Amino acid sequence: MADKEYTYSEVSEHATKKDCFIVVHDKVYNASSFVDEHPGGEEVLLDVGGQDATEAFEDVGHSDEAREILEGLLVGKLKRMEGDPKPKSYEPTSATGAAADTASMGVGLYALVLIGGVLAFGAYKYLQAQQSQAQ
């Protein structure tokens, strides 16, 4: 069933609560059974029903569990035709990119704490010197 090809026109005919297809990364999913269960509410799915929902799906940053649920709803592939809306170029978040961002943030945070410690130590020594001069 997942080998079936749908045109954008065919997908757009499935845009109701009881018959809701969405497209994510040129794969067609039947989200009808999930509309009531969607954690963001049914209107979120209905807003993109019968359309390419790739950008909306990726912008939210769905969990691995959500992606597994999505795969369970797969019914086919999108067959793009002349005149169809162009897919928005979208860079999916890669695990290595996210790890690199987290690592650089960790190093920056470490540097900030280290600099703060050095400044606090310097202030302590300065105040100690001032106090000994006053006595």
Side-chain angles (χ1 to χ4, degrees):
M1 187 196 270
D3 292 337
K4 183 167 172 40
E5 287 191 330
Y6 293 87
T7 64
Y8 200 85
S9 176
E10 289 172 323
V11 170
S12 69
E13 294 171 8
H14 301 271
T16 65
K17 183 176 178 177
K18 299 215 182 290
D19 183 23
C20 182
F21 280 20
I22 62 170
V23 176
V24 178
H25 295 297
D26 286 350
K27 292 181 181 176
V28 179
Y29 301 92
N30 183 345
S32 307
S33 63
F34 193 67
V35 171
D36 288 328
E37 299 172 35
H38 189 266
E42 66 182 43
E43 55 282 335
V44 174
L45 282 177
L46 295 177
D47 282 348
V48 294
Q51 302 174 43
D52 189 333
T54 304
E55 186 174 17
F57 183 83
E58 293 297 349
D59 283 350
V60 170
H62 283 88
S63 65
D64 290 339
E65 182 183 1
R67 292 174 189 279
E68 287 174 22
I69 291 169
L70 185 66
E71 284 307 309
L73 304 175
L74 182 66
V75 292
K77 299 175 187 167
L78 183 66
K79 181 180 180 184
R80 293 208 176 262
M81 308 291 279
E82 191 69 35
D84 283 352
K86 298 277 186 238
K88 292 186 173 75
S89 61
Y90 196 87
E91 294 285 323
T93 305
S94 67
T96 52
D101 290 347
T102 304
S104 65
M105 187 177 95
V107 170
L109 186 60
Y110 178 74
L112 186 64
V113 168
L114 186 62
I115 290 169
V118 168
L119 289 173
F121 180 74
Y124 169 76
K125 285 301 211 179
Y126 174 77
L127 290 174
Q128 224 179 13
Q130 291 289 28
Q131 199 172 32
S132 67
Q133 279 182 357
Q135 291 175 355

